[in-house]
């Protein structure tokens, strides 16, 4: 007999009851937003602007880890940085309702930034420099770091033992062993690596461009990591294009924060770890009904064949010279 997934309890009436437990009056409008790890909704409020309600996935983060995310956002907001931080109610930002932890956010509009615009990249660099200056001021105590052990070794082990098709297992195991060894070498060459608090998932879907500036949202994946983690995801295209983009970003970044060029060696390592961790993330969530529904292509022979091909491309990328900064 199947057991209902916890998120199946999040009916419109449940969501409104949770929000009204804080003293708000909902108007009956509840719209699900694009989110898989947690569940996020736009909820209409009587005689006021709608709110964004984020219900955290049970057992993913501890209360202390979520509150560290919130505190980081509040620190950034206090320095007038454009982040969408949780709302407080009587000084509290994390609430409980019938087994769920949830937070409320103001609704903010905007569009994804145009990363082929060099002026936009310069602005993003300046903003990241300011964020990282604050991020470097003190560490996370409860939140983990981005590292090869959790993103690489644990991901490969899960996929190899439970998901990879038998006919692809040897190829996958051999390839990931080579990748992990090469990434560990890259990591050691960059030691000591200064880990700071970073956004952690700094892609264009987590930035709203409005008023000629980016507004950073969704710090759910904030971790301790090298600064380059929030920079490499802004780079795209061929090497020549990425080189030009990087120079523009770092020029803006260095107006507020130092950047160690040695971290550029970690770009392809971090990209590879993200690819491996993404596959393992979907695998770990496969019992959530939303995942088979929204990722129907996952866990097929074709998917794993393409995944192996992508990792082989990363093996070559890891052996190429890293991007450079020219002073």
């Amino acid at each position: 007999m199947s057991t209902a997934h916890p998120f199946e309890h999040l009916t419109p009436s449940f969501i409104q009851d949770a929000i009204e437990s804080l003293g708000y009056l909902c108007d009956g409008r509840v719209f699900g937003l694009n989110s898989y790890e947690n569940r996020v909704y736009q909820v209409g409020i009587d005689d006021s602007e709608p709110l964004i309600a984020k219900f955290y996935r049970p057992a993913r983060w501890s209360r202390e880890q979520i509150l560290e995310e919130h505190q980081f956002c509040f620190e950034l907001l206090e320095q007038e940085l454009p982040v969408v931080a949780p709302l407080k109610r009587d000084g509290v930002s994390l609430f409980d309702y019938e087994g769920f932890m949830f937070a409320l956010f103001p609704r903010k509009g905007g569009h994804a930034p145009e990363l082929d615009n060099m002026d936009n990249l310069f602005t993003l660099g300046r903003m990241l420099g300011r964020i990282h200056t604050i991020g470097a001021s003190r560490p996370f105590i409860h939140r983990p770091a981005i590292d090869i052990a959790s993103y690489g070794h644990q991901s490969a082990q899960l996929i190899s033992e439970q998901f990879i098709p038998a006919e692809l297992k040897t190829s996958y195991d051999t390839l990931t062993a080579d990748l992990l060894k090469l990434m560990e070498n890259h990591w050691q060459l960059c030691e000591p690596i200064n880990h700071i608090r970073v956004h952690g998932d700094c892609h264009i879907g987590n930035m709203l461009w409005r008023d000629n500036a980016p507004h950073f949202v969704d710090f759910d994946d904030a971790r301790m990591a090298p600064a380059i983690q929030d920079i490499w995801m802004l780079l795209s295209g061929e090497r020549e294009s990425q080189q030009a983009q990087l120079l523009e970003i770092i020029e803006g970044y260095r107006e507020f924060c130092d950047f160690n060029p040695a971290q550029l060696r970690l770009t392809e390592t971090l990209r590879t770890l993200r690819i491996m961790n993404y596959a393992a993330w979907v695998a770990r969530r496969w019992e959530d009904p939303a995942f088979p529904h929204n990722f129907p292509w996952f866990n097929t022979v074709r998917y794993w064949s393409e995944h192996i091909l992508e990792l082989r491309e990363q093996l070559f990328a890891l052996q190429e010279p890293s991007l450079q900064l020219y002073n």
Side-chain angles (χ1 to χ4, degrees), residues 245-279:
Q245 295 160 10
L246 175 68
L247 294 176
E248 200 70 27
I249 293 166
I250 297 301
E251 182 180 354
Y253 186 95
R254 281 179 162 170
E255 289 189 5
F256 294 95
C257 192
D258 289 335
F259 178 76
N260 181 3
Q263 288 194 9
L264 292 173
R265 290 186 179 185
L266 298 177
T267 297
E268 294 304 328
T269 291
L270 290 166
R271 192 192 310 274
T272 305
L273 290 175
R274 182 176 177 84
I275 293 168
M276 296 177 70
N277 184 65
Y278 178 83

Side-chain angles (χ1 to χ4, degrees), residues 19 24 39-43 45 49-56 66 69-70 73-74 83-88 93-95 102-108 216-220:
I19 294 171
Y24 294 98
R39 294 294 187 269
V40 183
Y41 306 90
Q42 178 177 300
V43 182
I45 304 297
E49 288 293 313
L51 294 175
I52 304 301
K54 176 180 179 179
F55 288 80
Y56 289 91
I66 295 173
E69 170 206 339
H70 290 191
C73 290
F74 296 142
V83 301
V84 180
L87 297 172
K88 291 183 179 181
S93 62
L94 183 61
F95 312 104
F102 72 100
L104 300 176
F105 298 80
R107 184 185 67 170
K108 298 291 185 180
F216 293 83
V217 302
D218 194 6
F219 281 72
D220 192 65

Side-chain angles (χ1 to χ4, degrees), residues 68-320:
E68 278 195 322
E69 170 206 339
H70 290 191
Q71 181 58 38
F72 188 27
C73 290
F74 296 142
E75 290 176 43
L76 298 174
L77 201 62
E78 287 170 3
Q79 297 301 315
E80 299 183 344
L81 275 155
V83 301
V84 180
L87 297 172
K88 291 183 179 181
R89 196 76 168 169
D90 298 324
V92 177
S93 62
L94 183 61
F95 312 104
D96 295 273
Y97 188 78
E98 296 192 7
F100 284 95
M101 291 186 288
F102 72 100
L104 300 176
F105 298 80
R107 184 185 67 170
K108 298 291 185 180
H111 58 84
E114 298 175 0
L115 296 186
D116 56 353
N117 183 314
M118 289 299 183
D119 290 338
N120 288 354
L121 291 175
F122 179 82
T123 299
L124 283 167
R126 296 179 84 247
M127 292 299 178
L128 285 176
R130 294 179 63 194
I131 289 173
H132 286 180
T133 295
I134 297 167
S137 65
R138 60 186 178 122
F140 285 134
I141 302 301
H142 301 286
R143 285 188 158 245
I146 293 177
D147 56 29
I148 296 175
S150 58
Y151 274 53
H153 284 280
Q154 292 177 20
S155 297
Q157 182 178 4
L158 172 67
I159 299 306
S160 177
E161 293 180 354
Q162 300 183 35
F163 284 86
I164 201 76
E167 62 267 34
L168 297 176
K169 181 173 170 57
T170 299
S171 295
Y172 179 82
D173 289 348
T174 303
L175 175 58
T176 53
D178 290 341
L179 282 168
L180 290 166
K181 182 178 180 180
L182 191 54
M183 289 190 290
E184 286 168 348
N185 289 340
H186 279 249
W187 207 271
Q188 290 172 4
L189 288 172
C190 291
E191 293 286 2
I193 300 171
N194 182 29
H195 283 66
I196 63 174
R197 293 177 294 173
V198 300
H199 184 285
D201 194 23
C202 203
H203 59 77
I204 60 173
N206 284 333
M207 289 177 273
L208 298 174
W209 197 273
R210 57 190 180 87
D211 303 326
N212 296 316
H215 291 67
F216 293 83
V217 302
D218 194 6
F219 281 72
D220 192 65
D221 285 307
R223 292 176 180 244
M224 297 294 292
I228 190 65
Q229 170 64 22
D230 281 348
I231 295 172
W232 74 262
M233 295 185 71
L234 303 178
L235 307 177
S236 62
E238 299 298 326
R239 181 183 176 88
E240 183 177 349
S241 297
Q242 291 190 35
Q243 183 71 67
Q245 295 160 10
L246 175 68
L247 294 176
E248 200 70 27
I249 293 166
I250 297 301
E251 182 180 354
Y253 186 95
R254 281 179 162 170
E255 289 189 5
F256 294 95
C257 192
D258 289 335
F259 178 76
N260 181 3
Q263 288 194 9
L264 292 173
R265 290 186 179 185
L266 298 177
T267 297
E268 294 304 328
T269 291
L270 290 166
R271 192 192 310 274
T272 305
L273 290 175
R274 182 176 177 84
I275 293 168
M276 296 177 70
N277 184 65
Y278 178 83
W281 169 67
V282 179
R284 291 187 182 103
R285 301 293 182 249
W286 203 238
E287 294 182 358
D288 180 340
F291 278 72
H293 175 74
N294 290 290
F295 301 90
W297 37 260
F298 180 78
N299 208 26
T300 63
V301 172
R302 178 176 179 180
Y303 169 78
W304 290 117
S305 297
E306 292 176 349
H307 180 64
I308 289 172
L309 178 59
E310 186 176 24
L311 291 179
R312 282 179 178 151
E313 292 173 350
Q314 285 305 115
L315 185 63
F316 288 112
L318 283 162
Q319 298 174 70
E320 291 293 315

